[in-house]
Amino acid sequence: MKRLLFLLIFLGLTPLSAIAANGIEAITIAGDGKSYSVTLQILAVMTVLTVLPSLLIMMTSFTRVIIVLSILRQAIGTPQTPSNQILLGLALFLTFFIMSPVFEKANNEALQPYLNDQIAADVAITKAIEPFRAFMLRQTRNDDLEMFARISGAEPMTEASEVPMSLLLPAFVTSELKTAFQIGFMIFIPFLIIDMVVASVLMSMGMMMLSPLIISLPFKLMLFVLVDGWALVMETLAASFFT
């Protein structure tokens, strides 16, 4: 499965200048000697467009970033501000920043040599997936790996290279969800304290008909701005992947 996905990516990224004169042989895969036509290449490009969003979510830092930002928006008390488009854009560009060493390594060691006809497609696929494997292994908890290994009935593994992608991917996503909610919990606490203080003051004053959220929102916004909250959240998210 993993080889098929990366093969589709390399087929889609193959420059059109490599296509033969009449569009008959667009690319030849070394090893099996099979030639693929332009029609198959176009089909591969269209398939990549449907696969890339899943790869972005499942194999990068995007999951943790978008969940933390969504929890932060709920903690502040502005469920529509920033908008979903802004949060997605922010999470996307922060993901590119965090994953840039992985992308650069995959490009230098796999994609560029393959496009320059220096290595075969199967070698390029193996080299391209290694940076992502290393990244996901660093962020995956051993407990999650052991859980999915136990569920699948896999043999005991002693080396990281022995972990299959079919086991690593769900374990990585599970670990990302746990980490994201842990960070979100820590972010939520100060805003929750402000809500509790405001609600207690309003109750003691007998102003039960006034919503505490209306009063606490300006205080939460002021606190978030004074502590430079966005910079702190971005720094925490980025540092959580590099430590």
Side-chain angles (χ1 to χ4, degrees):
M1 182 62 182
K2 66 179 181 180
R3 293 184 176 272
L4 176 60
L5 294 179
F6 279 92
L7 176 59
L8 292 176
I9 293 177
F10 281 111
L11 287 175
L13 294 178
T14 302
L16 295 179
S17 59
I19 299 177
N22 295 323
I24 300 302
E25 290 189 4
I27 183 174
T28 301
I29 302 299
D32 54 10
K34 294 182 180 179
S35 298
Y36 296 88
S37 64
V38 178
T39 303
L40 181 58
Q41 189 180 28
I42 295 175
L43 178 62
V45 173
M46 299 303 295
T47 305
V48 166
L49 294 179
T50 61
V51 172
L52 281 179
S54 298
L55 293 178
L56 176 65
I57 294 174
M58 302 293 289
M59 300 178 64
T60 66
S61 59
F62 184 84
T63 301
R64 184 188 304 185
V65 173
I66 192 62
I67 290 177
V68 171
L69 293 179
S70 299
I71 293 177
L72 172 63
R73 185 174 63 176
Q74 294 293 329
I76 295 176
T78 55
Q80 301 299 326
T81 305
S83 63
N84 292 331
Q85 292 82 357
I86 295 177
L87 282 188
L88 287 174
L90 182 58
L92 184 63
F93 285 110
L94 187 58
T95 298
F96 287 152
F97 170 76
I98 295 171
M99 299 295 298
S100 58
V102 178
F103 293 152
E104 183 177 357
K105 187 174 182 180
N107 179 67
N108 294 335
E109 297 183 359
L111 181 58
Q112 292 303 322
Y114 172 76
L115 295 180
N116 295 329
D117 296 328
Q118 297 176 356
I119 58 176
D122 54 346
V123 177
I125 293 171
T126 302
K127 288 181 175 293
I129 202 172
E130 285 306 317
F132 291 91
R133 282 180 55 89
F135 171 80
M136 288 189 289
L137 284 171
R138 287 197 306 268
Q139 306 301 325
T140 304
R141 292 177 169 85
N142 292 331
D143 294 342
D144 296 325
L145 281 173
E146 294 173 358
M147 178 188 68
F148 283 100
R150 183 175 66 255
I151 294 174
S152 62
E155 296 294 332
M157 293 166 286
T158 57
E159 299 291 337
S161 58
E162 299 177 1
V163 180
M165 289 295 292
S166 59
L167 191 152
L168 179 58
L169 273 173
F172 169 72
V173 175
T174 303
S175 295
E176 287 295 282
L177 291 174
K178 291 180 181 179
T179 305
F181 277 90
Q182 288 175 353
I183 297 175
F185 173 77
M186 299 302 296
I187 292 176
F188 216 108
I189 290 178
F191 298 105
L192 179 62
I193 293 175
I194 294 177
D195 286 333
M196 294 176 61
V197 171
V198 171
S200 300
V201 172
L202 292 178
M203 288 287 292
S204 63
M205 296 175 62
M207 305 175 65
M208 301 180 183
M209 301 301 296
L210 182 60
S211 174
L213 296 179
I214 299 177
I215 306 301
S216 63
L217 179 58
F219 291 98
K220 290 190 288 186
L221 292 177
M222 180 181 65
L223 172 66
F224 194 68
V225 171
L226 289 177
V227 300
D228 199 7
W230 286 112
L232 289 176
V233 172
M234 297 299 107
E235 180 182 3
T236 301
L237 283 173
S240 65
F241 289 96
F242 291 103
T243 56

